[in-house]
Amino acid sequence: PACCTGGERTARAAACFASLHRYNMPAHIRAAQQAIQAAKGHIHLKGSSMDKITSVVIPMGFTVAAFGLLYKGLDDLSWGKNRKEGF
């Protein structure tokens, strides 16, 4: 529709976007989405153990990998490993 093309996000464009996708969405998902959108402030979802994976394990894995790479880089710098000629 013409209301969804270009311009900044307005209430009219948001209503138009919602009307486009309303018919393909199950009722329970639509109700949950409306409840979340109506809430003010931060939202913390309570769910299964997958929350622990996404909020604890994955960031911890990134941290461990980052420290491992940092250690390897500092070790290579201190012992002069992996040097390229001319640098």
Side-chain angles (χ1 to χ4, degrees), residues 29-69:
I29 294 176
R30 188 175 339 132
Q33 187 179 32
Q34 288 173 350
I36 290 172
Q37 289 174 351
K40 302 293 181 196
H42 296 289
I43 299 172
H44 299 281
L45 300 177
K46 295 179 180 177
S48 63
S49 63
M50 291 297 290
D51 291 341
K52 286 190 169 74
I53 291 174
T54 57
S55 64
V56 175
V57 175
I58 293 174
M60 198 64 92
F62 282 129
T63 304
V64 168
F67 277 115
L69 291 172

